[in-house]
C-alpha cells in the first residue's frame, strides 16, 4: 500500500462505465456537467427503482473479485452535483458494504438538499446543512471500523459522530446512487473525480486523462497509436492487433501541459486502462485497469478473459515515486504485451489511456492525515 493508502479512483474519462464492477438502472457517463475533464457519472434516480454503479476498493480491476479496505477504514473523496432533488422525503446516494455485501453505512439526500449519514442499522448519525443545486460540492466521507464517521463538505466538517459501522467482515465496495430507495421520488445527481483510500481524506482532488499522441519505444502489433486514442473507444472500428505470442506495443502519452494539468499540483496516483479482446465472433471487450502505488511496473491480473490471457503494462517516466509535482510525469509510456507462450489467434486492443489523480496543492512526500483526532 502507498503512503496515501490509495485503493482506486474514477474520473469517468473513458466515456463509459467499463471501470465499474457492475451497474444497474439509470446510470451513465455524461458530458452535461463535469468537474474536471469531459465526462462525469450521471445518476438518474427513478423513485423506488435501483439506479447505481458499484465501485470497488481494489488496486487491480478484476471484474468480480474484491480487494478489501480491510478493518482500518474507508474513505471517499469526490465531487457531487445536485441537479434535481427528491420532491419529498429523501433518497440514498451512496452505500458502503462489506465483503459479504452487507450494508455498513449510507448517505442520503433530502428534498431540501441536506446530506444524512446513517449507520448499518439505518440510525441517523447526523444531517448536514443544505447544499445548493446546480453546483459542484466537494464531498469527503470517512467511515472507520471502530464505529467513528466524519462527513466533510466543501472543506468543512459537517457531520461527526459514532454508530454501528462494522460487522464481522471487512469493508469492500461502494455503491454510488440509490441502491435501495428510501422514498418514491425521482432525482438526478452527478459524481466526478471519485477517489478511495484506506483512511485518508484527500481534499481538493481531481482526475485528468492522458491519451496517446505518439508511438512508443516498441511496435510489434499492427497499426499505431491513432488506433487506440479514441474516447470513448470505438469498439473494433480502429484497433491494434497481435497475432503472435510475445508481441509488445508501446504508445507515448500526452505530456502534462498538453493534457492541461496544473503545474503546482501533486500526484496522488496514476492508473491506466487497456481495452482488449480475443478476436472471435461474439467475443466481448475486456477492460484491464491497474492503479500504481509507486508509479512503476504496473501489472493487471487475469480478468477471466476466456481463454485466459494476461496482459502486462508498465510506465516509462522521468520520476517514479508518489508525491512528485504533476509536471514531472512527462515522458510517460503505456505498454501492452501479449504474454501467451503459444497460440496464433489474433488479440485486439481498441483503447490505451491513463488517468492522473492529482491534489490541488503541493504537499510533502509524507502525506498529512487531515482526519486525525476525530
Amino acid at each position: 500500500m502507498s503512503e496515501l493508502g490509495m485503493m482506486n479512483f474514477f474520473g469517468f474519462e473513458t466515456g463509459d462505465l467499463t471501470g465499474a464492477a457492475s451497474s444497474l438502472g439509470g446510470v451513465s457517463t455524461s458530458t452535461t456537467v463535469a468537474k474536471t475533464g469531459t465526462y462525469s457519472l450521471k445518476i438518474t434516480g427513478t423513485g423506488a427503482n435501483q439506479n447505481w454503479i458499484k465501485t470497488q476498493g481494489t488496486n487491480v480491476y478484476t471484474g468480480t473479485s474484491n480487494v478489501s479496505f480491510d478493518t482500518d477504514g474507508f474513505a471517499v473523496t469526490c465531487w457531487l452535483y445536485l441537479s434535481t432533488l427528491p420532491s419529498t422525503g429523501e433518497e440514498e446516494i451512496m452505500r458502503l458494504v462489506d465483503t459479504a455485501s452487507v450494508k455498513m453505512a449510507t448517505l442520503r439526500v433530502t428534498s431540501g438538499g441536506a446530506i444524512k449519514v446513517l449507520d448499518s442499522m439505518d440510525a441517523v448519525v447526523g444531517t448536514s446543512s443544505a447544499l445548493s443545486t446546480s453546483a459542484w460540492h466537494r464531498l469527503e466521507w470517512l467511515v472507520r471500523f471502530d464505529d467513528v464517521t466524519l462527513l466533510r463538505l466543501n472543506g468543512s466538517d459537517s457531520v461527526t459522530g459514532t454508530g454501528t459501522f462494522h460487522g464481522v467482515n471487512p469493508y469492500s465496495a461502494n455503491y454510488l446512487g440509490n441502491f435501495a430507495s428510501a422514498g418514491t421520488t425521482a432525482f438526478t445527481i452527478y459524481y466526478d473525480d471519485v477517489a478511495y483510500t484506506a483512511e485518508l481524506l484527500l481534499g481538493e482532488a481531481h482526475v485528468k486523462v492522458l491519451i496517446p499522441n505518439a508511438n512508443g519505444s516498441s511496435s510489434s502489433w499492427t497499426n499505431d497509436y491513432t488506433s487506440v486514442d479514441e474516447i470513448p473507444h470505438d469498439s473494433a472500428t480502429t484497433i491494434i492487433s497481435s497475432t503472435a505470442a510475445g508481441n509488445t506495443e508501446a504508445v507515448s502519452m500526452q505530456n502534462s501541459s498538453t493534457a492541461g494539468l496544473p503545474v503546482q499540483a501533486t500526484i496522488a496516483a496514476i492508473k491506466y486502462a487497456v481495452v482488449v479482446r480475443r478476436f472471435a465472433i461474439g467475443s466481448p471487450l475486456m477492460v484491464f485497469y491497474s492503479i500504481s502505488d509507486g508509479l512503476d511496473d504496473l501489472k493487471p491480473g487475469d480478468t477471466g478473459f476466456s481463454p485466459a490471457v494476461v496482459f502486462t503494462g508498465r510506465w516509462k517516466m522521468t520520476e517514479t515515486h508518489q508525491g512528485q509535482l504533476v509536471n514531472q510525469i512527462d515522458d510517460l509510456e503505456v505498454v501492452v504485451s501479449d504474454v501467451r507462450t503459444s497460440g496464433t489467434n489474433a488479440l485486439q486492443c481498441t483503447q490505451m489511456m491513463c488517468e492522473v489523480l492529482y491534489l490541488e496543492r503541493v504537499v510533502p512526500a509524507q502525506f498529512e492525515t487531515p482526519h486525525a483526532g476525530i
Side-chain angles (χ1 to χ4, degrees):
M1 190 70 64
S2 65
E3 290 175 337
L4 279 175
M6 181 60 61
M7 287 289 185
N8 211 340
F9 69 91
F10 299 87
F12 308 107
E13 292 301 321
T14 56
D16 54 28
L17 301 179
T18 49
S22 56
S23 62
L24 181 68
V27 185
S28 63
T29 53
S30 174
T31 58
T32 302
V33 291
K35 179 59 182 176
T36 310
T38 302
Y39 292 92
S40 62
L41 176 70
K42 181 180 181 180
I43 306 286
T44 303
T46 54
N49 294 332
Q50 295 186 25
N51 303 272
W52 49 262
I53 179 174
K54 182 182 181 182
T55 52
Q56 294 176 277
T58 170
N59 56 8
V60 176
Y61 174 70
T62 57
T64 57
S65 300
N66 291 337
V67 178
S68 299
F69 292 98
D70 63 44
T71 56
D72 290 333
F74 156 89
V76 58
T77 298
C78 64
W79 292 88
L80 172 67
Y81 186 98
L82 303 176
S83 181
T84 60
L85 299 171
S87 58
T88 60
E90 59 197 45
E91 289 289 351
E92 185 175 304
I93 61 170
M94 191 178 295
R95 170 178 292 221
L96 170 65
V97 299
D98 67 10
T99 53
S101 297
V102 176
K103 175 181 63 181
M104 292 290 103
T106 57
L107 296 182
R108 294 179 184 176
V109 64
T110 70
S111 58
I115 306 298
K116 280 188 176 182
V117 180
L118 296 88
D119 70 5
S120 61
M121 307 301 292
D122 285 339
V124 177
V125 178
T127 304
S128 76
S129 57
L131 298 177
S132 58
T133 58
S134 302
W136 284 104
H137 302 280
R138 190 170 84 236
L139 185 154
E140 301 169 85
W141 187 29
L142 168 71
V143 180
R144 291 207 313 229
F145 215 69
D146 61 0
D147 294 329
V148 173
T149 189
L150 164 64
L151 176 67
R152 183 175 291 167
L153 296 173
N154 297 318
S156 299
D157 293 355
S158 295
V159 175
T160 59
T162 60
T164 305
F165 292 114
H166 79 278
V168 297
N169 299 303
Y171 301 140
S172 171
N174 186 225
Y175 289 87
L176 303 174
N178 61 333
F179 180 85
S181 179
T184 58
T185 60
F187 65 98
T188 301
I189 61 175
Y190 297 83
Y191 283 107
D192 206 359
D193 301 347
V194 180
Y196 298 106
T197 66
E199 207 178 345
L200 184 71
L201 301 179
L202 298 178
E204 190 90 4
H206 300 278
V207 178
K208 279 280 192 176
V209 64
L210 306 181
I211 61 174
N213 65 353
N215 292 322
S217 57
S218 59
S219 179
S220 55
W221 293 42
T222 61
N223 300 324
D224 62 14
Y225 77 95
T226 59
S227 297
V228 292
D229 63 350
E230 297 87 6
I231 297 178
H233 69 74
D234 60 5
S235 188
T237 302
T238 58
I239 57 172
I240 58 174
S241 297
S242 171
T243 57
N247 282 350
T248 298
E249 184 77 12
V251 294
S252 295
M253 296 289 107
Q254 296 171 315
N255 62 32
S256 56
S257 176
T258 302
L261 278 76
V263 174
Q264 292 300 309
T266 305
I267 300 167
I270 294 178
K271 78 175 180 181
Y272 76 94
V274 179
V275 182
V276 296
R277 74 175 184 177
R278 179 183 288 275
F279 180 66
I281 295 176
S283 62
L285 293 167
M286 301 294 291
V287 180
F288 290 74
Y289 269 91
S290 186
I291 183 169
S292 166
D293 288 338
L295 309 186
D296 195 14
D297 297 327
L298 306 181
K299 296 179 178 66
D302 180 1
T303 70
F305 203 66
S306 181
V309 177
V310 178
F311 283 76
T312 62
R314 67 178 183 270
W315 299 113
K316 291 185 177 179
M317 57 193 307
T318 55
E319 297 287 349
T320 59
H321 60 280
Q322 191 179 61
Q324 295 300 313
L325 296 182
V326 163
N327 66 334
Q328 294 175 303
I329 64 168
D330 295 341
D331 301 322
L332 194 154
E333 191 174 80
V334 174
V335 183
V336 59
S337 300
D338 177 356
V339 298
R340 296 173 295 169
T341 57
S342 63
T344 58
N345 289 337
L347 303 176
Q348 298 180 340
C349 177
T350 187
Q351 186 181 63
M352 296 172 70
M353 59 169 286
C354 66
E355 291 180 301
V356 179
L357 175 68
Y358 63 92
L359 309 181
E360 287 249 355
R361 64 191 191 279
V362 178
V363 298
Q366 182 61 48
F367 290 85
E368 75 268 27
T369 306
H371 67 268
I374 69 166

